[in-house]
Amino acid sequence: MDDTKPAALMSIGELARNSGLSVRTIRFYCDEGILESQRSGGGHRMFDADSATERLLLVRRLRALGLGLDSITGVLRGEQSMEEAIAAESAKLDIEFRSLAWRRASVRAMEAAAPEQRAERLALLAAAQDGNALHESLIRFWHRILTPIPRCDSDGWVCWNVPEPPTDPSVDEVVAYAELATLAANPDLNKAVRHQYWRNRPDLILDPRALYHEMGEIMIGVVPLVADGIPPHPGNELDRFVTAHATARGHRDSRQFREHLLLDATDSDPRIHRYWSLTDRLLGPRVTIGRAHDWLYKALAHST
């Protein structure tokens, strides 16, 4: 004999009372395929008493967490686990939080601005409301500077020297980051920084990649000197710097070549100093390539 009992059925009104949801909402869930029903002889919706109530309670609780119907439907259909849906919602909230934090800092920056500064600051901040987009623009700026170095070689350098947008920026940080991105968007700054990095006549460099890697090794030696506040001076670090540039161009270190490296130097360009000042403000105590380059430039100028 078949001992299985038919599932107990309930009307949509009973299901509404059991689940705490309105009849209208339950009908909507049925139409969206979230909840299954069957028709009675009179054409009324009927539901499995246990599974329908349990399913609606799960939907209600996930909705209370803010999950959208697409995510909930995916969980109910087994297309993704609840853990995956919640992790995706958490990542989405992180993005929304960063966006709101950025907007809050921008509004407060406008409140803090003196009346005569508001128009300029408004223009600056209005164009800088997506911190991630600004970060990408800074990365592109440096990849253009470091051309023709492959990105796989320069990513570490860029990561060290390009600040990420603060998750919860202060007024000063949001203004500094917006100004930094505005500077990087200036083609003249790109040209000035490129000249600072590759020096005069980069077209004569035989192997840019080799020079780039040698510069990285040299900067590793300069960073501690900058961090310790040691004044720029001729010595091993500067000699290596000059030799690297000379070798890359098929020359040797000489007074004439050192003067050649200083030809049309852009190291003292106020826009470059402003760029690195803003970067230092955002990165804190980290010694950037800008400060290391400035140290070598001053040592080079002193040596000649």
Side-chain angles (χ1 to χ4, degrees):
M1 296 177 62
D2 188 357
D3 293 331
T4 59
K5 297 180 180 179
L9 299 178
M10 64 170 57
S11 68
I12 193 169
E14 293 173 311
L15 182 57
R17 287 190 293 273
N18 281 4
S19 64
L21 297 173
S22 69
V23 169
R24 183 178 180 180
T25 298
I26 294 175
R27 287 196 182 114
F28 172 76
Y29 286 156
C30 288
D31 293 340
E32 292 297 311
I34 292 175
L35 187 65
E36 294 181 356
S37 66
Q38 53 185 290
R39 295 287 180 175
S40 68
H44 300 293
R45 294 182 195 264
M46 301 298 292
F47 302 88
D48 182 283
D50 295 326
S51 64
T53 301
E54 182 180 348
R55 195 175 184 90
L56 284 180
L57 287 176
L58 176 59
V59 172
R60 186 177 182 181
R61 289 162 182 167
L62 291 176
R63 289 289 285 166
L65 290 179
L67 268 70
L69 287 179
D70 288 342
S71 296
I72 293 173
T73 301
V75 172
L76 295 176
R77 291 176 177 172
E79 296 169 357
Q80 62 177 336
S81 67
M82 188 182 301
E83 290 77 10
E84 290 171 335
I86 291 174
E89 185 66 21
S90 177
K92 178 182 175 183
L93 289 173
D94 285 341
I95 294 173
E96 291 178 0
F97 173 79
R98 286 195 294 270
S99 177
L100 287 173
W102 196 276
R103 287 176 55 198
R104 180 185 61 188
S106 297
V107 170
R108 290 178 178 175
M110 288 302 303
E111 289 178 328
E116 63 274 13
Q117 296 176 328
R118 284 176 184 159
E120 181 181 355
R121 180 164 290 187
L122 178 60
L124 178 71
L125 295 174
Q129 281 305 295
D130 187 338
N132 290 328
L134 297 182
H135 184 241
E136 288 298 321
S137 71
L138 293 174
I139 291 175
R140 289 194 298 272
F141 170 80
W142 281 108
H143 280 306
R144 288 194 297 268
I145 297 295
L146 297 174
T147 302
I149 305 304
R151 290 194 63 161
C152 59
D153 285 357
S154 60
D155 279 344
W157 189 101
V158 170
C159 181
W160 180 262
N161 292 282
V162 175
E164 294 192 7
T167 301
D168 188 7
S170 65
V171 166
D172 287 342
E173 286 174 331
V174 77
V175 172
Y177 208 90
E179 185 181 349
L180 191 66
T182 300
L183 282 170
N186 186 334
D188 290 337
L189 181 68
N190 183 290
K191 183 178 179 180
V193 174
R194 185 171 176 79
H195 185 91
Q196 180 195 32
Y197 189 86
W198 296 105
R199 312 311 300 183
N200 196 37
R201 295 296 305 274
D203 55 298
L204 298 179
I205 298 174
L206 304 175
D207 188 346
R209 193 174 185 181
L211 177 60
Y212 167 80
H213 285 294
E214 180 63 19
M215 284 295 109
E217 294 298 320
I218 294 167
M219 295 303 166
I220 290 174
V222 174
V223 164
L225 303 179
V226 176
D228 292 340
I230 298 175
H233 61 271
N236 179 60
E237 293 79 15
L238 177 60
D239 292 344
R240 289 182 63 194
F241 176 79
V242 176
T243 298
H245 274 284
T247 302
R249 292 168 171 81
H251 294 282
R252 60 181 181 82
D253 185 358
S254 66
R255 180 180 180 85
Q256 182 180 9
F257 187 79
R258 292 189 178 213
E259 292 174 347
H260 172 81
L261 287 180
L262 291 172
L263 188 63
D264 298 325
T266 59
D267 301 78
S268 58
D269 189 315
R271 295 169 302 179
I272 293 178
H273 283 276
R274 181 62 177 167
Y275 179 93
W276 286 114
S277 174
L278 293 167
T279 299
D280 291 339
R281 188 184 305 177
L282 291 160
L283 289 177
R286 183 186 303 177
V287 177
T288 60
I289 199 72
R291 292 171 65 188
H293 258 294
D294 188 59
W295 192 97
L296 285 165
Y297 164 73
K298 290 175 180 176
L300 176 63
H302 182 69
S303 75
T304 56

